[in-house]
Amino acid sequence: MARIPINIKEGKVAKEDDLIVGIDLGTTNSLVAYIKDGKAIAVRDQEGKSSLVPSIVYFSAIGRIVVGDSAKDKLITHPENTIYSVKRLMGKSYKDVAGLENYFGYKVIDDDTESLVKIRVEDRFYTPIELSAEILKALKVRVETELGRPVHRAVITVPAYFNDAQRQATRDAGKLAGLDVLRIVNEPTAASLAYGLDKDNQHDQTIAVYDLGGGTFDISILHLHDGIFEVLSTNGDTFLGGDDFDRAIMDYWIEHHQLDAEELARNKELSQALRLKAEEAKKTLSKEARFQSSLNGYAVSIDRDTFNGLIRKYVDKTLDCCRNALRDAQLDKKQIDRVVMVGGTTRVPLVKTSVSEFFGKPVYDQLDPDEVVALGAAIQADVLAGNQKEVLLLDVTPLSLGIETVGGLMDTIIPRNTKIPTRAGRQYTTSVDGQRNLKIAVYQGERDLVENNRKLGEFILKGIPPMPAGLPKIEIHFILNADGILKVKAKELRSNVEQEIEIRSSYGLSEEEMAKMLLESIQHAEEDMAVRGLLEARNEARNILLSADKFLQQNRAILSDEEISGIREYREQLRLATEGEDKDLINRVMEEINEFTRPLAQRAMDAVIADSLRGKKIS
Ligand code: ADP
Ligand code: MG
């Protein structure tokens, strides 16, 4: 059925639905933007005051769902029914979030498994995807109200370090909100687009994007070449942001204005009011040298110098992350051409001057740091809508992708740091005669043994026609699209049996875990190589044992007793060797067995030929 878009405001049939909006789905705040008359604008609330929608979802007693500013108020009164920071849970398993129980004021049910987390509100359970979808729905309504017509398509941004599972979860949230998510774009890339950095086609550029939000800090180093963005490295701290600055001011007041710490601990409402007052102070100090106010009859005040003293350690910590990011990208500060500021907390003057001093150049801060990611997403959306032709986006895979082969070995199909989108494939075969099914298990990581990597998913290629081992030709294809979502296809070429899955990982990887896996792979490289050698020798030995048995069965008639017991003896030696850890021993026995059986195999072959000739009738 055709859908006819109607412009409610103007009471006319709207033109073809060609609009794609850009959405920044943030940890603290989210917003939606689109291109109007060739310019990206963020959509404001009905009063035209703020474009930010707090990423907070409140469930009322009668099951009503409230998102944004109104939900924020419920943080104090109904903490158990008010969900914030859900982005931290996207694509995560219980194991991933273990230890964070106290961070959330609501219930993240904990069972120590690898299944995806759920959040409990009253007697219902919600996935982070469903909760994010509520935020997206609120943004969808906001832009539809402004435009007076439905919106169906969007580009959504995610942190550069988001893995497949987290990206897929974001995409699913969009789908659930009734949005066709045309692309998932990295936040730093979007911010660079908002500043039009891609427009300079003449020069290669290296860009540092410094993003300090409410509760998270991300630094990303991008390389821009011919309008193509590549992520060189990312670093950051998932628990560092403006919230820490608020807390520092609160603690300062508690100490210097002799506020009653015990009463604050007891009185949630009062402590929340103090927190909001502290945030107000922080924002005021971004413009003025001093903040003065009162709370519950207490006078509270702070000046900028004192504030700077309180937050310096946090700012220094972000600079450490910048150093790490530069090191990972193998770059010197001086090689950074541009520094882009993102996130509400970059309005803090000390942050701005410290970052500018660190990189030794002025920073890009002309655009609203709250909006810059959404504006970039809108520009990317416009490109996808075909309104801008010259921009193309590109990223790299942070970890290698591959499958498990015999003996638990990782066979990498797409190596880490490959530019995406990409596709790669390889042929495999069966290891057992008449094998009808082949399990394909997909892993992510750098280690040689799959058990040390992360499993992303598995499927079974069924219905392979029975053939001797080694005969089927099974082609496995990895297709990694521009959003970093992986499709795996398997096809048996002789029979055209085919199977395909889109990988929805069972759990996600945090940035730290990713770094840890890379580090481990380097540290264990030697050990892994030894293990790999052993496993390969064992696999080969196992095949030889099988063929030795077959050989004995089929050729008993032409073998002498000594030969039979000789083969049996070597067979036993090899079997014992495979149980040990000495790959050289296994290889040696295999060589001996080969030596011993070579003349016998020759004789067997001759016998077969003689036999077949004998069978032929010469008329
Ligand atoms: P996120 O990306 O995590 O969703 P935002 O980029 O929206 O977060 O940043 C929110 C943070 O920015 C909050 O801690 C807020 O207090 C802070 N912030 C907003 N405006 C200002 C300002 N004028 N001065 C200092 N901090 C600010
Ligand atoms: Mg943000």
Side-chain angles (χ1 to χ4, degrees), residues 24 26-27 29 87 187 211 213 342-343 373:
D24 172 5
T27 311
N29 296 303
K87 187 172 177 178
E187 288 162 13
D211 181 349
V342 181
V373 167

Side-chain angles (χ1 to χ4, degrees), residues 559-572:
L559 297 172
S560 72
D561 286 350
E562 290 95 275
E563 285 164 347
I564 292 177
S565 62
I567 293 177
R568 287 212 173 115
E569 206 166 293
Y570 274 120
R571 197 196 168 289
E572 184 57 14

